[in-house]
Amino acid sequence: IANSIEQTICHNYEYIASKIGAEDFAILAPTTSEEELVFLCSKIIEFTRKIIKSFELNEKKYFINIGYCKYYINSNIKELFSKADFALAASKSKGAYKIEKYTNLDEDSCTILGKEAWAKELQSAIEEDKFKLAYQDVVNIENSSDIFQSELFLRLKEENDCFYTAGYFMPMAEELKFVSKIDHFVISKVTQMLSKGSSTCRTLCINLGTNIFLQSDDFEKLEESIIKFKQISRCKLYFETKSLNIPNNILLKFSKFLKELGYGFGLDSFTLDSESLISIQEIKPSYIKIHTPYLLDLIDENNISSPSKSLRIIADSIDIKIIASHVENSEQKEKLQNIGIKYMQGNFIEEPKFLG
């Protein structure tokens, strides 16, 4: 990989490439346009994919991500690496081989914190109850008052009373292996809320990170919390997660556990390939959520692809609901109706609202 990076930048003697950690590389690229930089990043990804294939490695387990940021003459090293770290974490949160730019937010915001400062920020957010719960409904596409579930979202409150969405803090939480702590915090908040009867939502959905399934202590604590839910409230609950890097046998065990309690399990950010089709047949989730732009690319009104047909056949045969998420406009809604999608979620229906 180091050799491929050197080969990619060799045309420009002003570039500096370095290895800054066990799995981290960095390039300093002065006097470069963003277009040139993105092209360079794409070439590095192209080279790396060839390397991974040459060693016959599984691309779902072995891959790279790239984050980049712009620097100025008065930028200091700490701030520069903090921004690059944040962009890289955001790239990792979107999947393999993604390239992500650091978005230049308010320079005083928490997004330019270093990793150590981020860890402290997230810990204090839990201890000082800075995380607030919001929700967005999943509705019947023909009747938006028919609510299937209300998915919970986290917002991080800052000193100026503004709220950051999960997109700002969750990438670094994932990078710092902090997501399980946040998941347990959310579950605790929901437990308190349900015990007081303060929720107006009849069916709640809690989105879980990957690590809570992979650490035995976290998984046992999760199951104990869910049993506690059952004891204090009749509220219908769904739990969902992205299946990336979680073995099917663990998800199957969790899905069965939830069904025994009368709860449901879903797969979020579902992508369609042969492995994912096998997974849903084994796990038999209550539903899968697919990003609307991706779904519409897969299933065209006049040209339904073979994998898409397989998905519809499997979903119908084992009663899995297909939910189109991130619906942004009436044109998307109309296309979803035309291809037979029955449930949708997104800002076109409603913006997330604070709970309580």
Side-chain angles (χ1 to χ4, degrees):
I1 293 173
N3 288 338
S4 73
I5 292 173
E6 290 283 7
Q7 188 178 342
T8 306
I9 68 170
C10 66
H11 69 284
N12 195 319
Y13 295 109
E14 290 186 318
Y15 290 5
I16 299 171
S18 64
K19 189 168 184 289
I20 59 173
E23 301 173 343
D24 294 317
F25 299 87
I27 298 172
L28 187 66
T31 62
T32 305
S33 70
E34 185 169 346
E35 185 179 10
E36 289 173 320
L37 183 65
V38 171
F39 178 75
L40 181 147
C41 292
S42 300
K43 292 298 291 183
I44 291 172
I45 283 177
E46 182 185 328
F47 274 121
T48 308
R49 291 189 97 138
K50 288 179 181 177
I51 293 167
I52 288 167
K53 285 181 180 178
S54 72
F55 282 95
E56 298 182 352
L57 299 173
N58 185 338
E59 275 200 345
K60 289 194 172 183
K61 293 183 179 178
Y62 301 93
F63 52 85
I64 66 166
N65 287 88
I66 298 177
Y68 70 91
C69 65
K70 188 172 181 178
Y71 74 96
Y72 303 89
I73 194 166
N74 60 346
S75 300
N76 65 62
I77 294 297
K78 183 177 178 181
E79 178 186 315
L80 187 58
F81 272 96
S82 294
K83 290 179 178 179
D85 276 340
F86 187 84
L88 181 59
S91 169
K92 289 178 180 178
S93 72
K94 295 185 177 179
Y97 298 109
K98 299 297 184 184
I99 302 168
E100 191 73 14
K101 176 184 178 182
Y102 171 80
T103 304
N104 188 25
L105 303 168
D106 178 1
E107 294 300 311
D108 294 327
S109 77
C110 60
T111 54
I112 61 170
L113 297 173
K115 286 186 178 179
E116 186 177 337
W118 257 111
K120 291 179 179 177
E121 177 77 11
L122 292 170
Q123 185 62 43
S124 70
I126 288 176
E127 292 172 354
E128 298 171 21
D129 200 22
K130 292 180 182 178
F131 285 121
K132 304 300 177 187
L133 290 175
Y135 71 94
Q136 187 179 57
D137 293 330
V138 173
V139 302
N140 188 308
I141 202 164
E142 302 293 345
N143 179 10
S144 59
S145 63
D146 180 7
I147 299 170
F148 171 64
Q149 64 171 217
S150 302
E151 182 182 352
L152 296 179
F153 294 90
L154 267 187
R155 299 289 184 260
L156 176 60
K157 186 177 181 180
E158 286 300 300
E159 291 179 0
N160 56 359
D161 282 339
C162 73
F163 287 88
Y164 292 110
T165 65
Y168 293 125
F169 60 82
M170 199 57 79
M172 286 307 297
E174 289 175 352
E175 184 77 3
L176 295 165
K177 303 293 188 289
F178 207 90
V179 177
S180 292
K181 287 186 179 180
I182 294 175
D183 286 343
H184 288 306
F185 173 79
V186 170
I187 291 167
S188 175
K189 291 256 311 179
V190 173
T191 304
Q192 293 172 19
M193 182 183 64
L194 293 180
S195 64
K196 295 176 183 175
S198 58
S199 171
T200 57
C201 300
R202 291 188 297 176
T203 305
L204 293 173
C205 171
I206 298 175
N207 200 309
L208 299 170
T210 301
N211 286 342
I212 203 166
F213 293 94
L214 303 179
Q215 301 295 328
S216 58
D217 290 349
D218 280 326
F219 193 62
E220 287 174 13
K221 186 176 177 181
L222 171 62
E223 290 185 323
E224 289 170 4
S225 298
I226 294 171
I227 291 170
K228 190 175 180 180
F229 274 134
K230 190 69 178 177
Q231 294 168 346
I232 65 171
S233 175
R234 293 183 180 181
C235 178
K236 173 78 174 179
L237 286 177
Y238 286 96
F239 293 84
E240 66 183 35
T241 189
K242 298 176 185 176
S243 61
L244 185 68
N245 297 329
I246 306 174
N248 281 356
N249 64 312
I250 293 177
L251 294 179
L252 177 58
K253 177 187 174 184
F254 187 60
S255 180
K256 285 182 175 178
F257 167 75
L258 291 174
K259 286 175 183 176
E260 287 171 2
L261 293 172
Y263 296 153
F265 176 66
L267 292 175
D268 188 25
S269 303
F270 188 81
T271 54
L272 187 60
D273 55 36
S274 57
E275 285 187 30
S276 63
L277 290 175
I278 292 170
S279 292
I280 61 171
Q281 290 179 83
E282 291 179 355
I283 300 164
K284 295 182 176 65
S286 305
Y287 62 87
I288 56 175
K289 286 183 180 176
I290 308 178
H291 285 204
T292 292
Y294 175 74
L295 178 58
L296 292 177
D297 284 343
L298 284 175
I299 307 175
D300 186 88
E301 293 175 62
N302 303 312
N303 182 26
I304 301 178
S305 66
S306 180
S308 301
K309 286 181 181 177
S310 300
L311 174 62
R312 297 295 291 273
I313 291 167
I314 292 168
D316 290 342
S317 66
I318 53 181
D319 193 26
I320 298 174
K321 292 179 174 65
I322 298 175
I323 298 170
S325 62
H326 299 79
V327 179
E328 298 294 335
N329 53 59
S330 58
E331 182 184 355
Q332 289 179 336
K333 178 187 174 182
E334 185 177 341
K335 286 181 178 180
L336 292 169
Q337 286 175 303
N338 290 340
I339 59 175
I341 299 300
K342 296 178 181 177
Y343 296 92
M344 65 177 179
Q345 178 185 26
N347 291 342
F348 172 66
I349 304 103
E350 63 170 2
E351 298 275 348
K353 298 177 288 191
F354 282 107
L355 200 61

